[in-house]
Structures are given as C-alpha cells and as structure tokens.
C-alpha cells in the first residue's frame, strides 16, 4: 500500500493495515522498541529535509504521540517506521505552512518527499536512511560546538537519550545538559549549517568526536543509565550499524577500525548477559556457549586491521610490506585489545588479567580516565592483594569528586569484601545502588550488599548467584 499526496503537497500517512491488532501493553512495548531503534533515522531524515534540529525533533515527537494515540486501538501498521516517518513529515509540513514559510518552500518539500518516498508501492524508508544518521552525527560534531555539546546533541538526536540519561552519562546536573542541547541547536541554526555530509576534510577533523558519540550510544545500550532493563540491545545494534558504516568510510583509520572491533566484541556477549527472566548475568557466570562466535571473529578481524594500520605507513590495510614500528595505541585500540582478551579466554579463570590490567594502566596514563583506573583495579585484584589494590585506587582517585560514580563504589565494595571488610563493602554497594538509575543494576548491587553480611534484605529481584 502506498501513501497519497493530497491538498497540494501534504502526504497522507499509511492506513492502519495491521499485522498486530492487539492493544494495550503489548503494543506500547512494540512502540517503545521501534522508537528506540529508529528514532535516530527518522530525526536524521527530517533534519536533512527541514535544515533544523528542533523542527525535526518536534515533528518526530508529534509522530510518536500519534502512534501512541492510534496504534493501541487500530493496530500496528505493517511498516511502522515508514508510518512514523510519513506522519512526522506531515507534521513538519504543517508547521512550515502555519509559519508561513512560503508556497515555494512547501512545494519543494512536498515534491522532494513525494519523489523520494513514493516512487514505489511499498512504504519503506530510504535505502540511505542510515547514511542520513551518519551525516547528522558529523553535523552534530561541528567544530563550532564544544566537545561536551557535540556528544550531548548527537546522543539526544541519534541515540534518543533524554536529558536525565545524558546527565548520568556526563556526570553533570540535568539542567546543564538541557542548556547544552539548546545552545547547540541554536549555534547550528545561527551558523546556517547545511544538513548534508560534510567534506572529506571536515569529516576527518570530526572523526574523533563521531567515534566517541557512537561508543557512548553503545555503552548506554550495554548498561542503560536509567530504566528497568539491564540492557537495551536495540541501542547496541544501532551503534554497531553506525560503527560499521563509519569503518567503511574511514577504512584507513586505525582507531575507527578499533572502535568497530570493540563494539563487535562486546556485542558478541549480549545474549549471555541476561538470563531468561532478564536478570543480569555477570561475566564470571556467563555461559560462553551463548557468545556470538561470528561477532567475535569479526571483532578480532577489525582489531587486526587496526593494528596493521597502526604499524604501516601505507594507508591500504591489506598491504603489510611497508610495515614500520607500532604507533602508541589509542584508547579504542586499547579497549578493543582488552575486549579481545575476554572474548578469547576459554574460562573466566583463564583470562589474561595481567595483560588486561596493563592495558588499563596504559589507558589511564594516556587519558586520565577514572573509569580506566577503576577497571585496572578490578583486573589487578584477580592477581594482587586486594588491600594493596584498594589503597592504590583510593590514593590515585578523588573519591569525593566521584561521589556519584557507580563503578567506583561497586569496585570498592568488591575490594573491601575481598579484604574481609564486609560491613564497609555493604555500605559501598549500597552507595552504588543509590546512585544508579538502572533498576536491574540496583537490585544486583543491593543483593551484593546483603550478601556482604549487613543490613536488611533490600533485594526484591533475583540476580545471579
């Protein structure tokens, strides 16, 4: 079934042909899943057509509201993303008409939309919708924006993260994130930035920022900063698709290939990270037979390409004859090497913890990232005296400045428990739970606090033993 163009330029959305007539919570869950997966592509396409982030986001939100109003009673359309995209375009055209932007402009939009999306009878998104999203990432990473604003704006538009989730990711107040988003949109609008893929030189300049944003989208899917779920695989898959596209576009860049390797290797373990009830399964308890061996092979191949690129003066990753000394590994190559240690270990006990700790130490030395130092301590505790590891960690990090940082409290709890300081461990686990916005993570941390031997039974779920 195709859409129809009526009233000159306005395009009617699909009818309510439905393969799922059921209403209620089942439909709402489907809407949520579809929105998480495709909101970025919808906003990206709208931004390209309207040339305005805010207008695109508003129209997409209008389409989501329309879906929430109609789908529970009329059923989910056969092509839900196309329905949302068409409805959003209708809203954008309506807004333009109300703002009296001019008949010529409306005609241009109507003709482009009709030409691009109604050439065939099947209501599908454009084949290059994913490239719209990639272009939008490069636009959001424009050098006129501060680094923090670039990441926040891209994660909001592409990743669909709200201000609360962004505030947790950046360890800043929610009001600060809201200001960054508004300021970023205003800056791009005032600079009249064209919503198209930048030049090759501009893309190269912004490549580092784009990598960071894609990885932040993945980490938000891997362990969401808020909500009830231990993972959001849709966000992980979105980041993986973007990483693959970026790796094709920057085939001569070692860090970009390493980013792809890192996401492939982490993503390969997704199926084993939750049990059948959706409860967390930690690395040491995972059934490694559930790991995606194809994903691991792809990740290791991408890491090999990254290492080869770092050793060669030839931009062709398939040529090794011109190899030279290895350059200092970047953060993604280090993290991918760590992920490879985990992915290739036959058991948790057989993991090369010494190599992992060394990689994290290098990462901390080069970036100063508290997360790197915390993970180094976690790995070192598998080999060294936990009391010595804890003392070193507390000496090197400003615990007060990181008072709301969940991983720090969780690792301190683990180290304290290993030292036999069970009461102090329970306090640390409870602090971690208090500052976590993820309900599954909270239950896991509260269960660890209970097992540490103090306090009431706060746990109401069933985390893995």
């Amino acid at each position: 079934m195709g859409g129809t163009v009526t009233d000159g330029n306005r395009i009617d959305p699909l009818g309510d042909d439905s393969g799922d007539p059921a209403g209620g919570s089942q439909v709402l869950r489907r809407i949520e899943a579809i929105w998480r997966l495709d909101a970025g592509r919808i906003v990206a396409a709208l931004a390209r057509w309207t040339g305005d982030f805010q207008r695109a986001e508003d129209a997409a939100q209008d389409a989501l509201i329309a879906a929430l109003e109609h789908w529970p009673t009329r059923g989910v359309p056969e092509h839900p993303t196309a329905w949302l995209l068409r409805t959003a375009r209708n809203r954008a055209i309506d807004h333009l008409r109300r703002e009296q932007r001019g008949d010529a402009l409306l005609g241009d939009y109507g003709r482009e939309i009709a030409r691009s999306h109604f050439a065939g009878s099947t209501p599908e998104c454009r084949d290059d919708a994913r490239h719209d999203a990639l272009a939008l990432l490069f636009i959001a990473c424009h050098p006129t924006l501060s680094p923090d604003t670039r990441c926040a704006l891209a994660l909001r538009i592409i990743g669909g993260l709200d201000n609360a989730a962004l505030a947790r990711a950046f360890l800043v107040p929610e009001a600060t994130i809201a200001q960054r988003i508004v300021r970023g949109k205003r800056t791009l609008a005032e600079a009249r930035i064209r919503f198209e893929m930048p030049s090759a030189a501009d893309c190269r300049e912004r490549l580092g920022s784009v990598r960071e944003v894609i990885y932040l989208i993945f980490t938000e899917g891997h362990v969401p900063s808020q909500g009830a779920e231990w993972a959001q695989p849709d966000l992980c898959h979105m980041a993986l698709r973007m990483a693959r596209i970026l790796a094709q576009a920057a085939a001569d860049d070692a860090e970009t290939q390493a980013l792809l390797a890192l996401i492939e290797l982490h993503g390969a373990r997704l199926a084993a990270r939750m049990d059948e009830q959706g409860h967390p399964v930690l690395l040491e308890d995972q059934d490694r037979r559930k790991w995606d061996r194809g994903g691991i092979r792809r990740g290791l191949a991408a890491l090999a390409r990254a290492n080869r690129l770092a050793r060669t003066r030839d931009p062709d990753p398939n040529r090794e004859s011109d190899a030279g000394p290895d350059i200092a590994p970047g953060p993604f190559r280090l993290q991918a090497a760590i992920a490879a240690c985990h992915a290739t270990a036959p058991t948790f006990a057989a993991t090369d913890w010494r190599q992992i700790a060394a990689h994290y130490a290098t990462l901390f030395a080069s970036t100063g990232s508290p997360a790197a130092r915390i993970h180094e301590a976690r790995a070192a505790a598998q080999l060294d005296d936990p009391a010595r590891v804890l003392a070193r960690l507390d000496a090197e990090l400003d615990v007060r400045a990181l008072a709301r940082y969940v991983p720090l409290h969780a690792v301190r709890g683990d180290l304290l428990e290993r030292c036999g300081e069970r009461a102090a461990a329970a306090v640390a686990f409870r602090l971690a739970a208090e500052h976590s916005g993820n309900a599954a993570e909270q239950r896991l941390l509260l269960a660890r606090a209970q097992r540490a031997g103090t306090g009431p039974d706060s746990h109401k779920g069933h985390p893995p033993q």
Side-chain angles (χ1 to χ4, degrees):
M1 177 184 296
T4 57
V5 181
T6 62
D7 188 24
N9 298 306
R10 195 177 192 283
I11 300 168
D12 286 340
L14 294 176
D16 293 300
D17 293 343
S18 173
D20 180 8
S25 60
Q26 182 180 357
V27 172
L28 294 179
R29 284 195 299 271
R30 279 201 66 189
I31 294 173
E32 181 183 2
I34 292 165
W35 188 251
R36 280 205 308 261
L37 184 62
D38 290 326
R41 290 194 298 165
I42 292 169
V43 173
L46 292 167
R48 178 170 59 82
W49 289 315
T50 64
D52 188 304
F53 269 125
Q54 190 60 56
R55 191 188 305 280
E57 197 171 22
D58 289 345
Q61 288 292 329
D62 286 347
L64 175 61
I65 292 170
L68 292 169
E69 289 175 348
H70 298 300
W71 293 5
T73 55
R74 301 183 185 178
V76 178
E78 183 180 358
H79 301 276
T81 302
W83 190 100
L84 287 166
L85 189 55
R86 286 176 174 160
T87 301
R89 289 187 203 121
N90 287 344
R91 298 298 191 271
I93 290 173
D94 288 344
H95 290 321
L96 288 170
R97 184 173 282 124
R98 282 197 299 269
E99 293 172 12
Q100 299 179 346
R101 291 286 299 274
D103 292 339
L105 180 60
L106 286 169
D108 288 343
Y109 278 116
R111 282 192 294 274
E112 180 182 353
I113 295 169
R115 180 175 59 251
S116 300
H117 295 274
F118 293 92
S121 60
T122 303
E124 298 283 347
C125 291
R126 286 173 57 100
D127 291 338
D128 60 354
R130 57 182 183 171
H131 296 290
D132 282 342
L134 184 62
L136 198 59
L137 270 177
F138 276 97
I139 293 165
C141 293
H142 195 278
T144 58
L145 303 176
S146 70
D148 286 343
T149 299
R150 295 173 198 170
C151 285
L153 186 59
L155 285 168
R156 172 68 174 270
I157 300 298
I158 300 297
L161 306 187
D162 61 19
N163 288 349
L166 290 170
R168 291 182 184 278
F170 288 99
L171 301 176
V172 297
E174 196 169 330
T176 301
I177 287 294
Q179 291 171 0
R180 288 179 188 173
I181 296 292
V182 171
R183 188 164 51 245
K185 291 177 179 177
R186 184 188 304 123
T187 299
L188 291 176
E190 291 174 351
R192 299 183 179 276
I193 303 301
R194 292 180 62 85
F195 284 75
E196 61 187 19
M197 184 65 80
S199 68
D202 287 341
C203 285
R204 181 66 60 180
E205 180 184 355
R206 304 175 202 176
L207 189 56
S209 295
V210 172
R211 284 195 299 260
E212 292 290 343
V213 168
I214 291 175
Y215 188 56
L216 280 171
I217 293 174
F218 179 81
T219 56
E220 179 62 23
H222 199 248
V223 180
S225 58
Q226 64 179 2
E229 299 175 346
W230 176 241
Q232 292 187 11
D234 289 346
L235 274 183
C236 294
H237 296 152
M238 177 198 302
L240 178 57
R241 287 198 302 272
M242 300 302 292
R244 287 172 176 170
I245 296 168
L246 187 65
Q248 291 176 357
D252 62 343
D253 184 77
E255 277 291 273
T256 301
Q257 300 303 314
L259 169 67
L260 175 60
L262 177 60
I263 294 179
E264 289 275 16
L265 291 168
H266 278 316
R269 304 205 306 261
L270 273 174
R273 293 185 65 246
M274 293 182 289
D275 63 18
E276 294 179 355
Q277 289 73 43
H279 301 134
V281 179
L282 300 182
L283 179 61
E284 54 264 41
D285 301 315
Q286 288 175 14
D287 181 353
R288 299 185 177 221
R289 293 171 298 180
K290 294 182 178 179
W291 290 4
D292 178 5
R293 296 298 162 184
I296 291 174
R297 285 193 296 272
R298 290 192 296 273
L300 294 176
L303 179 57
R305 287 197 301 274
N307 290 335
R308 192 158 58 239
L309 284 165
R311 290 194 304 268
T312 182
R313 294 182 295 274
D314 190 326
D316 183 352
N318 295 314
R319 289 181 56 181
E320 301 185 56
S321 58
D322 202 20
D326 194 357
I327 63 173
F332 286 114
R333 195 150 65 100
L334 285 167
Q335 291 178 83
I338 292 165
C341 288
H342 287 299
T344 55
T347 65
F348 183 80
T351 304
D352 190 347
W353 295 109
R354 195 173 305 281
Q355 185 66 56
I356 289 173
H359 285 320
Y360 275 126
T362 303
L363 186 61
F364 178 64
S366 61
T367 66
S369 166
R373 183 64 190 87
I374 291 165
H375 286 298
E376 179 194 351
R378 189 192 299 271
Q382 304 294 327
L383 307 165
D384 200 354
D385 174 47
R388 187 160 48 241
V389 173
L390 178 60
R392 207 162 54 234
L393 179 66
D394 286 346
E396 294 183 15
L397 293 184
D398 186 345
V399 177
R400 288 187 177 182
L402 298 170
R404 300 177 61 86
Y405 194 45
V406 174
L408 175 60
H409 295 302
V411 168
R412 292 192 78 257
D414 183 67
L415 293 172
L416 286 164
E417 189 173 22
R418 289 171 182 266
C419 293
E421 301 287 342
R422 302 180 67 84
V427 170
F429 286 131
R430 287 199 187 90
L431 274 173
E434 177 185 339
H435 295 303
S436 174
N438 182 287
E441 184 177 47
Q442 288 173 353
R443 289 194 297 270
L444 181 65
L445 291 165
L446 289 173
R448 292 209 64 181
Q450 178 189 339
R451 290 199 298 272
T454 64
D457 182 2
S458 312
H459 173 57
K460 301 183 186 302
H462 303 280
Q465 298 299 313

